[in-house]
Every structure is written in structure tokens, then in C-alpha cells.
Amino acid sequence: MSRNQNIKKVAVRYALFVVFLMVAVHCSLFTAEGATTITAEQLEYFSKENKYVATGNVKIEKDDTVLTADRIVFHQINSYAEAEGNVTYEDTEAKISTEKAEINIDAKTGRLYNAVIFFKKGNYWINGDNISRLKDDHYYASSATFTTCDADASASPDWCFKGNDVDIVVGQKLTAKDATFRVKGMPVLYSPYLWAPALTQRQTGFLFPVIGNSNAKGFQFSPSFFWAIDESKDATFYLDYYSKRGIGTGIEYRYIDDNGKGNWYAYHIRDRELKTSFFEIKGFSEYSTSHLKGYFDVNLINREEFYREYSTRQEMRIQRFLQSTGEVSVPMDNSRLYLLGQYWIDLRDEDDRIPQRLPELGYVINPFKIGPLVFNMHSSITNFVREKGTDGQRLDINPTISYSFGEKISLYQSLSLRETAYNLKDSDSLGSSPHRETFEYRAHALARFVRKYDSFTHAIEPSFEYTFIPATSRVPMFDSAELFDRTSQVQLSLLNRVTSKNLIASIRLTQPYDFDADDSKLMPARLEAFIDGPFTMRFDTSYNFNKGRLETLNSEIGIKVSDKTNVRIGERYNKEERLMLYKAALDTELTRNWALSADAWYDAKGGGLRDSSVKATYTSQCWALRMIFSKRPGDDIISPEYSFMFLVELKGIGLFKVV
């Protein structure tokens, strides 16, 4: 072979090698929308059809979209790709694995065969044989499964929903017909229609019902329906069926806008066992503009025993009063005019002796300086109404002038004048028009001594306070304004505080002395302590030196036993009310999946074990199980109630409750 022939062969091989490298590495197609890059082991171009046929580790990239497969036919004119063999598709919203796909890369639409779709937000998984991607956020499948559980392709997920005519709008909803709920592939529940949120927070639809049984109320079935009215308003409708008691209905409405927000709830049940009807209305609204402000807080029930019968919260069952308040005010430069209505319900006794403010018109002047002095005033005209006892109208004017000076040792003094006049009904002893003129003088001195050390700061603050009100004429008792009566009292206090990077600790001792008391001028001393550091503690107590006994004691200590375990213990003691309660609570993480919490109240004055509960929680990647045992004590009216609650949470779906 001649030398020229060898050179030609080498040149041809080099040229073919360069062409192979260019084809194997990539091919870029520039369009008006941007560049589409194709990478493959072999690439053919058919100019007549304006299409590319790529085989072997094919990858097509455009903007945020990546498509890979063993073989892809790509039509350049409409960015349409036919992919088969180990097909994967990924964009900002989803990642898809499928055997075969027909996809418009620009429109992000097409058809998927035997596909698994993973939505990155929310960890949602869709598996179906024939899935259509109608839009970049809209999918439809004749048959598919839906779950939030991660699972191997060969294993069934911990749970899933399987149904027909599955319609998914990302960020809105998932619907299906003839749906079954499956655990490890085994069907356990059936529904002719399923709705579930899909990567959204608010969507109209039925919520999971509460199903249960109670020794006091019998079998319970409580479905509810959520209505997303618009972006700023929604409502929930409730239905409670109790086999022993009757049917309860309720509605809750929530809204928020530029000028305010509100949340209102109404509930009614006809109790067959007690042969009475209960209703509850509660809620609040806030309204604010530059010219008008309003606030309404309503808490109404028709019978005092409603909470004892139907509330599971201890603080609701033991509360003494319900208060409803409505106020509209007009802000001014340095003052405001307001109209107030206030209504009280006594949950222990008949409420016909409680005075109701219906209404009160008031005018308030905010503090402002007059030379070295500060002036403010509160004035009001109030109409008091009650079923029994004295009622009528009251005019109250209370201006105050104050003066303060000093830095290391500061002194504050104030003088308040008070004029109160009445127009009364049914008051034989006081007459129809009693009035009262008086004043109040207050002086308060405070010294602060601070010393900083390398690792902490120590502060001591002694203070002295004196209050004097002269004797005044007798007036009816409507509210705290009538407590403005003869007083001559001094109070000494000492605060000791230590602060550091990891610790805040303070202790305050207060001793009041009443010069006007007939016998026990030395009033009960108060001790308050607070610690926030390696453990937390709140403590307050009062001690009566004249009687040599504790009057009250309240304490709570929280201890972090380990990174996974916290213990809280507390005590409430009141000598006058014969109250001695102990509380204990525990929160601990037993294992990576199991957690336990428990709390109990114990009445040492004969009531024994009161409210108590134990909650065990199992948490998995896509579901959680909570088991709660609780005891509600009885009283002279109701019997003790024991309950066991089973809650299954499917992450991404919501709660399914079995009580």
C-alpha cells in the first residue's frame, strides 16, 4: 500500500471519529423559545420530517425540563417527543418514571404508560397504567393509586388509595370514583367517590368523620364539611349524632380582609336524656380603619351545665364566668370616644344578680405632658341592668395628674380625683341619686443596683409604694369602680435578679401593710420566683403571719431529663377555697418512631384522681397513629366518663378518627 493511500485512510478515520464524537456528545437545536439539547450514543436527522431519532442513553434538555430514555423520536417543529425504554421526565414540579411516554416538551403535556409520578412538593406519588398529562399541573388516569409513602417498586406502600377516573390538579385536588383505601395492598375501606387535597391548604370538601362510642353519649358519628368560599373566607359545617343523646348541628365561619378578621361558631343539640336543648354561640370580630375601630368577643350558652356535659377540656368545665364584650371606638388625636357593651354569665350560680353593662359610653384622654406633669382622664356613663337587685345609671369622671423624676432612684407620684353620681332603681337604703366625691394619692419609689460580672449580671431592686384614699359615702356595688374606697396601705418589695447567657432567675418578696385594718394590719406576704435555664420553675405563695399559715401556693417545675424526655410537676393550694391540686405531666420519645405523653390532676382534698390522659404516638414516614386514653371526673350532676381515642393521620391527607 502506498504512502498516499495510508494518509487517506487515516484522514477518513479521523473525520469519522470527529463526526461520531459530535453526534455522541450533543446536538443543540436553537428555537425562538430557547435551546433544546439532545445527547445520545447515536443520532439521526430526517430533514423531510424535521425530526431526530436518538438511541442509547438519550437525554433531551430544555429550560427546566429533562427527558431521558433508551430511544426518543423528537419532532423539532412542535417539540414533541416519543420516548420508550427506561423513560424518566423531570421538571420543577414533578419527576416521572415510565415505560413509554408521548410528551410535548414545551407545553408539558402528553401521555404516560405504566408510569410512576412523584410530586416534589408534599411527597405525593401517583401510579397508573395510562396517565394523561392535560396541562403541566393537571393529570388524568382511567385507573391509578395515590399515596404519600415512599416504597420500593416491588413492594406495596404502607397505605394508598386506588380508584378509577382519577383526576388530579396539582395545588388543588385529587378525585376518584370507586376508591378503596389499602394497607400494604389489602383493601380495607371503600368509597364510591373520593376527594383529597393535593398540595393545597384550603379546598371545599368533606373532612374525615369522627366515629366513636361513649358510656355517657353512646355511639357517635360526626361528619363535617369544609367550604372554601374564597381566598379570604371559609366555613365548616358540623353534624354530631349521639345514640343516647340526640343530634347536634354546628357551623363555623372565618374571614379576614384589609380592615379586620373574625371567627364565629354556633352549635345546637337537643339532649333526649336530659330533655333539654343546649346552644352555644361564640366568636370574635376585629374591625379597624383610620376613623373607626371595633371589637366583638361573644361567649354565650343557654344552660350552665353545657360544658360539664359536652366539653373535653378541663379549663372549660371549671371556669366560673363567661364574658361577652362589644366595643366601637373613634380614635382622635390624643383621645378616643367609645361605646361598650358587656354581658356576664355565671356558670356556678344563677346569673340574675350580675350587673350587665348595657351599654357604656366613655371618653378617654391619653397621657400628655403639661410642663413637668402628665395628665390623663377616663370618664364614662354606664347603664347597669340585672334581674334582681339595684340597677340604674352611673356617671364616673376620673382625671389623674402625675409627676416622676430620678434615674438611679426614681420617684413617681400621682393624684386622681373621682366624681361618681348615680340614678338608681329599687334602692331604698341609698336613695335614687347618691353621689361620691373622693381622690386617690399614690407614691412609688424604686432603686436599682446593678453589678456586672464576667459570666452574669446581678440586679437588686428595692421598692416602696403607698396608696391613700379617704373615707367616702356608701355606694352600690356594680364593678371595680366602687372598690375606690378608704385605703391607707404601704407595700415594700425586694426584687433579686440574675441573668446570664443560659440562665434567667428572679425572686421577689412583697410585704403589704394596711393602716386602716381593724385587727390584722400586717397583710399576707407574697413570694414569687422564676427560673429559666437548665430547668424552668414558676412559684408564688402568700403567707399570713397573723394566723401563722400559708394562704396560697402555686408552683410548676419543668425538667429536661434528657434530649428526648421532659417532666412537669405542679401544685395549686388555696386555704380559703379548700383547694389542693397536684399536676404531673410527661413527654418522652421512646424510640425513633414511638413517643409517649401523659398528664394527671390529683385532688388531695377528697376528689382523688381528676382529669388524666395517656397518649402514645407512632410516627412513620407517611402516616402516624395516636392512641389516647382519658378520664373525665364526675360530680353531683354527671358521672365519670372514660374514653379511648384512636387517631390515624395519613400525611398529606388529614385525620381519620376512631373514638
Side-chain angles (χ1 to χ4, degrees):
M1 183 180 295
S2 66
R3 184 170 180 271
N4 290 336
Q5 288 176 325
N6 288 334
I7 292 173
K8 289 180 180 179
K9 286 183 178 181
V10 172
V12 170
R13 290 174 181 173
Y14 181 78
L16 290 174
F17 178 72
V18 171
V19 171
F20 175 78
L21 282 179
M22 292 177 64
V23 172
V25 175
H26 72 277
C27 176
S28 295
L29 311 172
F30 293 94
T31 65
E33 291 79 12
T36 301
T37 301
I38 303 176
T39 302
E41 293 179 359
Q42 183 175 346
L43 183 65
E44 297 180 83
Y45 176 67
F46 298 87
S47 58
K48 187 175 181 180
E49 293 90 348
N50 193 16
K51 71 177 182 180
Y52 290 82
V53 178
T55 57
N57 296 320
V58 185
K59 179 188 285 188
I60 297 180
E61 298 177 88
K62 184 174 184 181
D63 299 328
D64 58 5
T65 302
V66 178
L67 176 66
T68 65
D70 294 338
R71 182 177 184 272
I72 297 179
V73 178
F74 181 72
H75 300 266
Q76 183 179 359
I77 191 170
N78 56 7
S79 292
Y80 185 75
E82 302 171 26
E84 57 183 339
N86 299 311
V87 181
T88 64
Y89 171 91
E90 185 172 4
D91 57 23
T92 56
E93 297 291 337
K95 185 175 182 179
I96 301 171
S97 298
T98 180
E99 291 181 357
K100 181 181 177 181
E102 300 166 0
I103 298 177
N104 186 308
I105 295 178
D106 286 344
K108 297 184 178 181
T109 60
R111 187 177 294 274
L112 312 170
Y113 301 90
N114 193 18
V116 176
I117 304 174
F118 172 65
F119 297 110
K120 298 177 181 179
K121 182 181 178 182
N123 206 74
Y124 288 82
W125 295 83
I126 306 293
N127 192 328
D129 295 332
N130 191 335
I131 302 176
S132 298
R133 195 179 195 189
L134 307 178
K135 295 180 180 179
D136 60 343
D137 62 349
H138 192 180
Y139 295 80
Y140 173 81
S142 56
S143 177
T145 62
F146 167 77
T147 185
T148 59
C149 297
D150 296 333
D152 297 332
S154 59
S156 298
D158 289 349
W159 66 266
C160 71
F161 288 97
K162 184 175 182 179
N164 301 324
D165 292 335
V166 180
D167 190 69
I168 305 163
V169 180
V170 179
Q172 296 185 31
K173 64 177 182 177
L174 176 147
T175 61
K177 297 179 181 178
D178 297 322
T180 56
F181 175 68
R182 298 172 177 245
V183 177
K184 284 294 184 181
M186 181 180 296
V188 294
L189 291 173
Y190 168 80
S191 174
Y193 181 79
L194 169 71
W195 174 93
L199 314 182
T200 185
Q201 295 181 348
R202 300 170 68 253
Q203 183 68 39
T204 297
F206 285 96
L207 306 176
F208 283 111
V210 175
I211 303 173
N213 191 69
S214 167
N215 62 328
K217 304 177 183 69
F219 173 75
Q220 176 186 354
F221 179 71
S222 302
S224 54
F225 181 81
F226 178 79
W227 179 22
I229 302 172
D230 56 35
E231 292 183 357
S232 61
K233 296 186 289 291
D234 59 55
T236 305
F237 300 88
Y238 301 96
L239 176 67
D240 293 331
Y241 169 75
Y242 300 102
S243 61
K244 291 184 178 180
R245 295 297 186 92
I247 297 176
T249 55
I251 180 173
E252 185 173 10
Y253 173 72
R254 297 162 291 266
Y255 72 91
I256 185 170
D257 55 37
D258 294 338
N259 295 325
K261 60 182 179 180
N263 187 333
W264 290 89
Y265 173 81
Y267 184 82
H268 171 267
I269 184 170
R270 173 65 184 177
D271 194 311
R272 294 196 307 267
E273 182 177 299
L274 299 178
K275 298 180 181 179
T276 187
S277 292
F278 293 102
F279 71 77
E280 178 185 21
I281 299 175
K282 63 181 180 180
F284 77 92
S285 285
E286 297 177 358
Y287 179 81
S288 178
T289 67
S290 58
H291 304 292
L292 188 68
K293 296 183 184 296
Y295 179 80
F296 301 91
D297 183 9
V298 175
N299 295 279
L300 297 174
I301 58 174
N302 67 320
R303 299 187 68 86
E304 295 81 15
E305 63 268 28
F306 174 72
Y307 290 131
R308 294 201 300 272
E309 291 288 344
Y310 286 94
S311 179
T312 59
R313 297 167 53 191
Q314 183 199 36
E315 61 269 24
M316 296 295 291
R317 294 199 305 273
I318 66 174
Q319 65 182 332
R320 176 65 188 271
F321 295 102
L322 284 181
Q323 176 186 324
S324 298
T325 302
E327 180 181 304
V328 177
S329 63
V330 179
M332 304 177 188
D333 290 341
N334 194 47
S335 61
R336 69 184 183 95
L337 182 69
Y338 71 88
L339 181 65
L340 170 72
Q342 197 170 70
Y343 186 81
W344 292 81
I345 297 177
D346 190 338
L347 298 178
R348 295 186 187 178
D349 303 308
E350 294 296 329
D351 61 1
D352 52 9
R353 293 187 179 275
I354 299 178
Q356 315 290 355
R357 296 170 182 250
L358 298 172
E360 176 177 292
L361 178 65
Y363 178 66
V364 178
I365 299 177
N366 299 324
F368 69 94
K369 283 194 171 185
I370 304 176
L373 306 178
V374 175
F375 176 83
N376 67 281
M377 186 183 73
H378 182 278
S379 57
S380 63
I381 301 175
T382 309
N383 180 55
F384 291 100
V385 178
R386 53 184 166 191
E387 294 295 325
K388 294 181 180 179
T390 302
D391 58 12
Q393 296 77 43
R394 182 187 70 193
L395 170 66
D396 187 58
I397 303 175
N398 184 205
T400 300
I401 192 165
S402 60
Y403 174 69
S404 61
F405 63 91
E407 295 182 1
K408 292 184 178 181
I409 299 179
S410 60
L411 178 64
Y412 169 86
Q413 296 181 88
S414 67
L415 179 64
S416 298
L417 304 180
R418 193 148 209 168
E419 172 67 34
T420 310
Y422 299 86
N423 178 33
L424 302 179
K425 300 177 184 177
D426 302 325
S427 177
D428 297 334
S429 60
L430 296 174
S432 61
S433 303
H435 58 89
R436 177 186 64 180
E437 295 78 27
T438 185
F439 69 90
E440 177 186 29
Y441 170 76
R442 293 184 62 229
H444 182 260
L446 172 67
R448 183 178 290 110
F449 305 97
V450 180
R451 185 165 184 177
K452 294 185 178 181
Y453 298 88
D454 293 339
S455 57
F456 67 93
T457 300
H458 181 210
I460 297 177
E461 297 180 5
S463 64
F464 167 89
E465 184 173 352
Y466 177 71
T467 303
F468 175 77
I469 302 173
T472 60
S473 57
R474 192 164 65 92
V475 293
M477 176 55 69
F478 286 131
D479 57 20
S480 60
E482 274 72 42
L483 297 178
F484 203 85
D485 202 356
R486 180 174 175 82
T487 303
S488 181
Q489 186 179 113
V490 65
Q491 181 171 280
L492 301 176
S493 178
L494 180 65
L495 173 65
N496 212 325
R497 181 168 52 232
V498 175
T499 59
S500 67
K501 183 178 180 181
N502 301 313
L503 175 69
I504 300 175
S506 66
I507 183 169
R508 183 195 298 271
L509 177 63
T510 304
Q511 177 61 68
Y513 186 88
D514 191 348
F515 292 98
D516 284 335
D518 295 333
D519 46 10
S520 305
K521 297 182 181 298
L522 189 66
M523 302 175 67
R526 297 192 304 272
L527 180 66
E528 304 163 273
F530 169 77
I531 297 176
D532 185 7
F535 65 94
T536 61
M537 184 191 75
R538 296 180 184 275
F539 175 90
D540 67 84
T541 183
S542 61
Y543 185 83
N544 192 322
F545 287 100
N546 298 300
K547 297 181 179 181
R549 69 184 189 187
L550 283 176
E551 298 287 345
T552 62
L553 175 63
N554 299 293
S555 64
E556 181 175 280
I557 299 176
I559 303 172
K560 190 173 184 179
V561 180
S562 66
D563 292 339
K564 299 180 180 179
T565 303
N566 292 286
V567 176
R568 300 187 308 278
I569 55 176
E571 179 184 11
R572 291 180 59 191
Y573 171 78
N574 190 300
K575 177 69 175 179
E576 190 70 24
E577 298 183 7
R578 293 182 52 80
L579 179 69
M580 182 180 288
L581 296 175
Y582 296 94
K583 180 180 181 180
L586 168 71
D587 295 294
T588 182
E589 185 177 327
L590 300 175
T591 66
R592 182 172 174 269
N593 301 106
W594 281 99
L596 179 71
S597 63
D599 63 80
W601 281 94
Y602 181 81
D603 185 355
K605 290 291 186 180
L609 187 64
R610 308 298 292 171
D611 286 59
S612 57
S613 66
V614 178
K615 179 172 71 175
T617 303
Y618 178 84
T619 305
S620 181
Q621 177 266 321
C622 60
W623 62 279
L625 171 67
R626 297 192 187 102
M627 295 170 288
I628 304 173
F629 172 81
S630 60
K631 176 202 171 187
R632 189 189 75 174
D635 54 28
D636 296 337
I637 300 176
I638 62 175
S639 301
E641 183 174 358
Y642 299 87
S643 65
F644 182 76
M645 183 177 289
F646 217 22
L647 301 94
V648 178
E649 179 183 359
L650 307 179
K651 295 185 178 179
I653 297 295
L655 288 175
F656 178 77
K657 303 181 181 179
V658 181
V659 181

